[in-house]
Amino acid sequence: MKPHAHIPHASVETLIAVFVALMALLGATVAMAEVDLGGPWNFVVATVIASVKAVLIVLFFMNVRYSTPLARLVAFAGFFWLAIMFVLSFADYWTRGWLAVQSW
């Protein structure tokens, strides 16, 4: 890379739009804390909101959207492993009541 090469980045308008979206998602998170959707749905909705916020932060504030293909691959690999952890957590959460606990 040249010493003074131009590195592309998001415009100020884009960053402000992402910030507004993040604030709206923060409001949705706070609102979800007061709403009872029943069953495991509160957990699912809260996790989806958190995932969307994480993707916005990584893409725009960490400049992964404008990075090299290798940096994108590394970021994707991290999200892939995060998705595996979420799936395993969901599997544990959804199957907790399947087996009855016996008291001796």
Side-chain angles (χ1 to χ4, degrees):
M1 186 158 99
K2 297 177 186 176
H4 298 288
H6 174 70
I7 300 172
H9 58 278
S11 67
V12 174
E13 293 82 13
T14 301
L15 293 176
I16 291 172
V18 171
F19 175 75
V20 169
L22 287 170
M23 290 298 107
L25 288 168
L26 175 64
T29 302
V30 171
M32 281 305 306
E34 300 296 325
V35 176
D36 183 21
L37 297 177
W41 291 108
N42 280 9
F43 179 70
V44 172
V45 171
T47 304
V48 167
I49 292 171
S51 299
V52 170
K53 289 190 289 189
V55 167
L56 286 174
I57 289 168
V58 168
L59 286 179
F60 292 99
F61 290 112
M62 294 175 65
N63 284 331
V64 170
R65 183 167 185 230
Y66 305 101
S67 296
T68 64
L70 181 60
R72 290 181 191 171
L73 177 66
V74 170
F76 173 77
F79 269 103
F80 178 73
W81 286 110
L82 179 64
I84 290 173
M85 293 296 119
F86 276 148
V87 167
L88 292 174
S89 296
F90 285 145
D92 173 56
Y93 186 77
W94 283 328
T95 59
R96 286 184 183 180
W98 286 8
L99 298 175
V101 177
Q102 295 178 355
S103 300
W104 298 96

